[in-house]
Amino acid sequence: MEHAYYLTHTENLQDIDLENFHRIYYGAEFCEYLLPRWEEIEKALDFCNEQKKTFSFLTPIVSAYGIDVLIPIFKRLNTYSTTHNRKVEVIVNDLGILSLLKEYSSLGKVIGRLLSKQRTDPRIVRYQDDFTESQLDTLSHSQFSKSFCAALKEYNIIRIELDNPFQGIADSFIQNGLGVSLYYPLVSIATTRLCLFNINETYHLPEIKECKKKSCKALGTFRLTHSTLPVPILLQGNAQLYENKSLPPELEKKGIDRLIHNIGIVT
Amino acid sequence: MKILMPLNPTDNIDILIKGGADEFYCGFIPPESKNTYVNILTEYENNDFTTIEELKNKADIIHSYGKKIFVVLNFQYYTEAFLEILLSTIEKLNELPIDAFILSDLGLITQVRVRFPEIEVHLSTVTGAFNTYALRFFQDLGVTRIVLPDHLNNDEIAALTQHAPKMQLEIFVMNNRCIHLECLCRFHHWQKGQPHPAPSSLSRTTLGHIKRILRQFPHKILGLLFNNPVIKKVFENILNQTRDLHGCRLPFDVSPLNLPATRERIQKAQELERYFGPFHVFMRYPPCGACTLYRAWHQGIDVFKIDGRFNPFSKKLKDLRFIIECAGFLAQAKDEKEFIVFCKNRFKKIFGHRCTHEQCYDLNIWIQN
């Protein structure tokens, strides 16, 4: 089993103990306005090199703004991958980015967990016993069917990634011939472009516009609680997540060969 | 320009077509899906077609007017076993005929393109195409029309149309605007007959009545009223009793996760709690994007979609009349400002109240005008 460390910033890298990890995940998974500058990426790459770890770059859903930011990053990552003879992976959560990556042959293409479309409502677990077997089976599946993987064959994807919802994971992915990652312990529930940290000051409402303040970084994470929720929802910037501390049994039998430790997302 | 209308089995098609509807879309729930599908909104479950016969009846009427009908099969994913059932359903529906299928699951789209290359596929907003590369990706898959996500602002839509590959783009102009990205929202929508977190003692209709009564009062007074913790609690309890308690509509209690709980963080928590709280839920009118028509139309988008398969027929008629009147003024308007003034006046006349910034698709447009 490969273990990956989910890096959220490049300050105080020397304090991070990577002894039990093989790989670093860095970038922005949920928000295009939080994509790091190249200087920060380079710092993370150098850190990876020093520590003899491999590197995966996280990307979110992007508008034209994000595409403009990502193109120079991909060019540099592609060059880095070739010159250092180290395969850099890009985690894709937007199929447009997969299309864009066709131009960068040295970068490994990984389909991120947001494209799995798994149901990750934490309330499901409360009523798990009352769902029919068939409903529960459907709730444990994802978009990553054989047809889905076949559709992406020409894009040379090497891996797919999953969330770890309370109700479990039904698929066995071994037959797909792709690597399978699992994010742990934070499960993604929802993402928005109407970000509650990008609020119009006059109307006190979120609006879809470029975010320059990045106030979510400064304000940290908020707990959302409600009587129907078994665990709090964690609101971090434009993403809602929850914590599931249990791992499904027999990960290898499901084809899962990488665990991404992502506790650092929330602060 | 085409106006795409939602359709349920009880809607009167003749009236909608005479009112200006060009195309229709509806949901279809295959009988085999009973107890298998798990994420149908209750509203859709009660308003989708369930038999091929009733759908054929409507399709025949629509085609007799020379108009088109599309079927939506846009769950975010289907299980391997269910894909086969669905493909067989699509084959049968195609014989009615159906003019296009609005799909989301990539596996399903690929299978439909391989097995039935003659079928026209539209990409559902649930998939999420936010950039030109995404449009190209789906064009390569054989998709001929894309329903753009509602989380794109006016400028982003304009930029997208300038660099888009040659394909039809469609935007929502009424009723569709969720707080979360539809393509990345993975909350569960509880269905009829499923165990449910809410006691289901309040119907959607009752909630609608309460909203209408509250909206008679000025915003400011209600804002002050909802600041009272006892009143806030009462309305939170009303919300908690509602059948359609989606994850995005829960009246959350909000607090900073870790220390230090600085003044800024506490203030933000209060702001967030207010946003999720009953005031916003009760005061929010159905979203409206009529003002976005001007720029979108000038940028070459010519399919405008009205959301709300589950809406009462009277609401659909009002929505249609409003959008048709606004669209009719597009060519006459001197500039965007004049068009927006026209839309706002028509809105008040047709819906009986002023439009509000809370329901506006694009807050920037509201601020500028």
Side-chain angles (χ1 to χ4, degrees), chain A residues 6 9 16 66 93 96 142 171 189 239:
Chain A
Y6 194 110
H9 56 82
I16 300 170
N93 287 301
S142 69
D171 293 293
I189 312 170

Side-chain angles (χ1 to χ4, degrees), chain A residues 32-33 61-64 67 71 93-100 102-103 113-124 127 130-132 134-148 150-152 155 163 187-194 196-200 203-210 218-229 233-235 240 266-267, chain B residues 34-39 76-80 83 104-108 110-111 126-128 130-138 140-141 150-153 156 159 177-191 194-198 240 245-248 250-258 262 264-266 268-269 271-272 275-276 280 357-359 361-364 366-367:
Chain A
E32 60 183 331
Y33 302 116
I61 270 213
V62 292
S63 65
I67 292 283
I71 288 176
N93 287 301
D94 179 322
L95 291 168
I97 294 179
L98 189 62
S99 181
L100 169 64
K102 262 185 159 181
E103 298 165 25
R113 62 170 161 169
L114 303 188
L115 285 171
S116 76
K117 311 266 180 175
Q118 289 162 284
R119 297 291 95 199
T120 53
D121 192 325
R123 295 173 301 171
I124 290 169
Y127 304 94
D130 299 321
F131 281 113
T132 66
S134 165
Q135 285 170 339
L136 207 54
D137 179 58
T138 308
L139 281 169
S140 311
H141 273 78
S142 69
Q143 193 187 204
F144 297 150
S145 60
K146 279 182 205 158
S147 309
F148 178 94
L152 299 183
Y155 292 91
D163 256 315
V187 181
S188 155
I189 312 170
T191 309
T192 184
R193 294 190 83 225
L194 281 165
L196 294 168
F197 292 81
N198 193 17
I199 292 270
N200 179 279
Y203 293 101
H204 305 287
L205 283 173
E207 54 183 329
I208 295 168
K209 66 165 190 185
E210 187 179 336
L219 288 166
T221 304
F222 290 84
R223 282 161 55 98
L224 311 181
T225 52
H226 185 264
S227 57
T228 60
L229 291 167
I233 288 177
L234 305 172
L235 178 70
Q240 292 190 7
V266 295
T267 50
Chain B
K34 205 176 175 191
N35 295 322
T36 306
Y37 276 6
V38 285
N39 201 40
Q76 290 188 329
Y77 67 84
Y78 296 96
T79 61
E80 207 73 64
L83 275 177
S104 172
D105 180 301
L106 206 60
L108 178 62
T110 314
Q111 287 293 316
V126 170
T127 310
F130 289 85
N131 52 67
T132 47
Y133 287 91
L135 301 189
R136 271 177 220 151
F137 177 91
F138 290 108
D140 290 347
L141 276 185
D150 56 4
H151 280 215
L152 283 169
N153 68 30
E156 288 169 335
R177 170 53 71 87
C178 183
I179 175 68
H180 298 131
L181 284 166
E182 282 188 275
C183 62
L184 293 185
C185 176
R186 302 192 275 158
F187 274 112
H188 181 60
H189 295 133
W190 263 265
Q191 277 171 263
Q194 283 186 1
H196 195 275
N240 286 336
L245 193 70
H246 301 319
C248 48
L250 296 173
F252 294 114
D253 289 325
V254 184
S255 58
L257 177 65
N258 290 324
T262 57
E264 286 79 13
R265 296 186 80 200
I266 291 166
K268 186 67 192 175
E271 185 186 271
L272 290 167
Y275 182 79
F276 288 115
H280 273 279
H357 61 273
E358 285 160 326
Q359 66 184 132
Y361 265 33
D362 195 331
L363 202 55
N364 285 320
W366 184 271
I367 292 162

Side-chain angles (χ1 to χ4, degrees), chain A residues 154-212:
Chain A
E154 63 169 299
Y155 292 91
N156 298 321
I157 60 166
I158 53 174
R159 170 173 293 277
I160 51 176
E161 304 203 315
L162 293 169
D163 256 315
N164 178 31
F166 282 142
Q167 74 271 21
I169 301 162
D171 293 293
S172 172
F173 294 97
I174 290 174
Q175 71 274 24
N176 283 333
L178 297 168
V180 184
S181 316
L182 189 72
Y183 285 77
Y184 168 83
L186 292 173
V187 181
S188 155
I189 312 170
T191 309
T192 184
R193 294 190 83 225
L194 281 165
C195 178
L196 294 168
F197 292 81
N198 193 17
I199 292 270
N200 179 279
E201 305 286 344
T202 313
Y203 293 101
H204 305 287
L205 283 173
E207 54 183 329
I208 295 168
K209 66 165 190 185
E210 187 179 336
C211 173
K212 290 178 179 155

Side-chain angles (χ1 to χ4, degrees), chain B residues 299-316:
Chain B
Q299 294 292 339
I301 289 184
D302 65 351
V303 187
F304 301 108
K305 183 172 193 167
I306 295 173
D307 189 33
R309 275 178 262 166
F310 47 81
N311 277 338
F313 190 65
S314 55
K315 162 80 173 138
K316 285 181 188 165

Side-chain angles (χ1 to χ4, degrees), chain B residues 11-75:
Chain B
D11 287 339
N12 186 323
I13 292 167
D14 302 279
I15 294 177
L16 290 171
I17 289 179
K18 280 169 193 157
D22 300 293
E23 299 175 334
F24 295 88
Y25 68 96
C26 62
F28 184 81
I29 304 177
E32 300 89 337
S33 70
K34 205 176 175 191
N35 295 322
T36 306
Y37 276 6
V38 285
N39 201 40
I40 308 171
L41 281 168
T42 319
E43 300 96 313
Y44 291 151
E45 191 185 13
N46 297 335
N47 289 284
D48 282 351
F49 287 83
T50 49
T51 69
I52 290 183
E53 291 70 33
E54 63 180 349
L55 183 54
K56 182 177 177 2
N57 177 28
K58 295 286 185 191
D60 286 346
I61 300 172
I62 289 167
H63 288 139
S64 73
Y65 282 98
K67 307 290 184 186
K68 290 185 174 179
I69 178 166
F70 312 138
V71 169
V72 186
L73 295 164
N74 67 342
F75 287 0

Side-chain angles (χ1 to χ4, degrees), chain B residues 337-350:
Chain B
K337 205 169 183 70
E338 190 186 36
F339 179 74
I340 290 170
V341 170
F342 179 87
C343 290
K344 285 185 173 178
N345 287 336
R346 296 316 298 161
F347 187 97
K348 189 166 182 239
K349 179 142 194 175
I350 291 170

Side-chain angles (χ1 to χ4, degrees), chain A residues 38 72-86 88 104 106-107:
Chain A
W38 174 252
I73 292 176
F74 288 161
K75 276 183 186 161
R76 285 170 146 164
L77 283 176
N78 198 51
T79 310
Y80 180 92
S81 201
T82 316
T83 52
H84 289 75
N85 200 23
R86 293 172 79 93
V88 170
Y104 304 96
S106 293
L107 301 176

